[in-house]
Amino acid sequence: MKNLLIVLSGPSGVGKGTIVNRLLSSGGFSLSVSCTTRAPREGESEGVSYFFTDRQTFEKRISEGGFLEYSEHFGNYYGTPKDFVYEKLKYSDVILEIEVDGALQVKRARPEALLIMIAPPNEGELISRLEKRGSESKEKIRERVKRMDYELSKKNLYDYTVVNDDLEEAVKEIRNIINSAKANS
């Protein structure tokens, strides 16, 4: 069986990070590390949180085709380095936790990539989860909900959509999707 490139996307607050951590803890998976031009935040470390680089180096890498996907947000570049992912794929399945536009770039570059959209059970539940975080202003929550509409409008371009209504069930469903994809590869 060939190792899989697995892309997980979904709205902020849907539980992507928790699901990814559950998958990683079960073994057999590597998490892709993105490259960025933004400065490291407190507690972040090189090669674990991100690969930190300057704008000139990032743009050179773009011109050389060095990213599976990349985008610019708030004046900083973010991207998934091809060489890192391809090296990891030699030894394990690789998970990319990225936003929808990046996911679709990956699918164009690697049609065999497995795209899984994580969706909330409904808008009210997503708002409740964002409010429980306590880290978002009301305005930020409204922005994230507006972004959710855009992200979920792209779910038909994904291979699967999993509703995270119950965390254990969502993780189980994703594992089943991955196992089935591996069996058919």
Side-chain angles (χ1 to χ4, degrees), residues 120-168:
N122 57 59
E123 185 177 303
E125 177 63 24
L126 184 72
I127 292 169
S128 173
R129 291 177 189 180
L130 290 170
E131 288 174 345
K132 284 179 187 171
R133 279 184 178 177
S135 61
E136 313 276 339
S137 68
K138 292 284 185 193
E139 181 58 34
K140 279 283 183 204
I141 290 173
R142 278 192 292 276
E143 287 174 23
R144 293 198 185 282
V145 170
K146 185 177 179 184
R147 176 75 182 169
M148 174 192 72
D149 293 337
Y150 170 74
E151 291 170 328
L152 293 178
S153 76
K154 303 294 182 186
K155 71 182 181 181
N156 62 323
L157 301 173
Y158 278 63
D159 300 304
Y160 297 91
T161 298
V162 173
V163 175
N164 185 13
D165 192 12
D166 175 281
L167 178 64
E168 296 308 320

Side-chain angles (χ1 to χ4, degrees), residues 66-183:
F67 292 105
L68 276 174
E69 60 83 28
Y70 71 91
S71 60
E72 188 174 8
H73 299 285
F74 307 111
N76 290 300
Y77 281 119
Y78 296 84
T80 303
K82 278 183 185 178
D83 54 354
F84 181 82
V85 170
Y86 293 169
E87 185 62 27
K88 292 286 184 185
L89 277 170
K90 292 177 184 175
Y91 308 102
S92 67
D93 296 324
V94 177
I95 299 172
L96 278 67
E97 182 188 342
I98 57 176
E99 52 82 39
V100 294
D101 295 325
L104 297 175
Q105 286 180 48
V106 170
K107 191 68 165 178
R108 283 190 294 277
R110 297 288 300 254
E112 75 280 7
L114 179 64
L115 270 59
I116 303 172
M117 172 70 72
I118 312 296
N122 57 59
E123 185 177 303
E125 177 63 24
L126 184 72
I127 292 169
S128 173
R129 291 177 189 180
L130 290 170
E131 288 174 345
K132 284 179 187 171
R133 279 184 178 177
S135 61
E136 313 276 339
S137 68
K138 292 284 185 193
E139 181 58 34
K140 279 283 183 204
I141 290 173
R142 278 192 292 276
E143 287 174 23
R144 293 198 185 282
V145 170
K146 185 177 179 184
R147 176 75 182 169
M148 174 192 72
D149 293 337
Y150 170 74
E151 291 170 328
L152 293 178
S153 76
K154 303 294 182 186
K155 71 182 181 181
N156 62 323
L157 301 173
Y158 278 63
D159 300 304
Y160 297 91
T161 298
V162 173
V163 175
N164 185 13
D165 192 12
D166 175 281
L167 178 64
E168 296 308 320
E169 286 301 313
V171 171
K172 182 179 173 184
E173 186 176 348
I174 291 167
R175 281 192 180 121
N176 288 339
I177 289 167
I178 293 168
N179 290 338
S180 175
K182 284 187 77 70

